[in-house]
Amino acid sequence: MRWLTSDAAVAYPEALAAMEARVAAIRSGDAEELVWLLEHPPLYTAGTSANPADLLDAQRFEVFQARRGGQYTYHGPGQRVAYAMLDLTTRGRDVRRFVWSLEEWVIAALARLGVRGERRAGRVGVWVARPERPPGPDGAPAEDKIAAIGVRIRHWVSFHGVSINVDPNLEHYRGIVPCGIGDHGVTSLADLGVTATMADLDLALRAAFDETIGRG
């Protein structure tokens, strides 16, 4: 199991090519599992379930077909992307369980930074309650998404992964309906008043990994 952190922003096509190569090498036994921590330049990605109507401003940033599960999402500076290339043959070959464990990983990491992340039925990702805001039109409590999850599995090796907002420009989300959910907002650690840095989050992710996903 290896961890890699890229200090400079990584172009999305470059990251896709690197993940494809790593997945093939893991499957053939020529490489160990990898969690890759990075940031991307500003861009939108479309998952396999993306609705074209959810791309509100196609001219704002480049749009890439991600070939992962999920819908439209944003990546950019100030957002930690964690790509998890893991052998699921040692983790039960259960895709739903794996997605659950990715959510649990993020929730446990956020807890180390003093943030309560939560799941919501029918919505993949991690959410934060916003009791300081009034309820929505339907009376539901206000809440924002802080982390998105989108994965692909090939021959029981995973790739893509999670993205967690540390301090991105949240205005950049206005060009899409994030993950196809228009009734809720998007937040970040900085927006919540948390002063944790990207390095702080990285340490929390590493500390929480074994207790939630493990080494297989």
Side-chain angles (χ1 to χ4, degrees), residues 62-83:
E62 285 191 89
V63 182
F64 293 91
Q65 300 299 316
R67 302 192 299 274
R68 52 150 175 81
Q71 303 186 52
Y72 282 105
T73 193
Y74 165 77
H75 294 310
Q79 181 192 76
R80 175 53 86 213
V81 175
Y83 287 137

Side-chain angles (χ1 to χ4, degrees), residues 101-116:
S101 69
L102 289 174
E103 292 174 333
E104 193 71 5
W105 179 33
V106 173
I107 290 168
L110 291 175
R112 283 175 159 79
L113 302 177
V115 174
R116 181 182 175 86

Side-chain angles (χ1 to χ4, degrees), residues 1 33 86-93 98 101 209-216:
M1 174 74 196
E33 296 179 312
L86 304 174
D87 184 359
L88 300 191
T89 61
T90 64
R91 293 178 172 83
R93 293 193 176 193
F98 178 60
S101 69
F209 185 85
D210 283 347
E211 69 189 51
T212 54
I213 297 177
R215 299 182 180 272

Side-chain angles (χ1 to χ4, degrees), residues 1-5 33-37 82-86 105 205 209:
M1 174 74 196
R2 185 183 174 206
W3 290 76
L4 173 66
T5 302
E33 296 179 312
L34 174 67
V35 176
W36 186 11
L37 305 176
Y83 287 137
M85 287 150 272
L86 304 174
W105 179 33
L205 286 168
F209 185 85

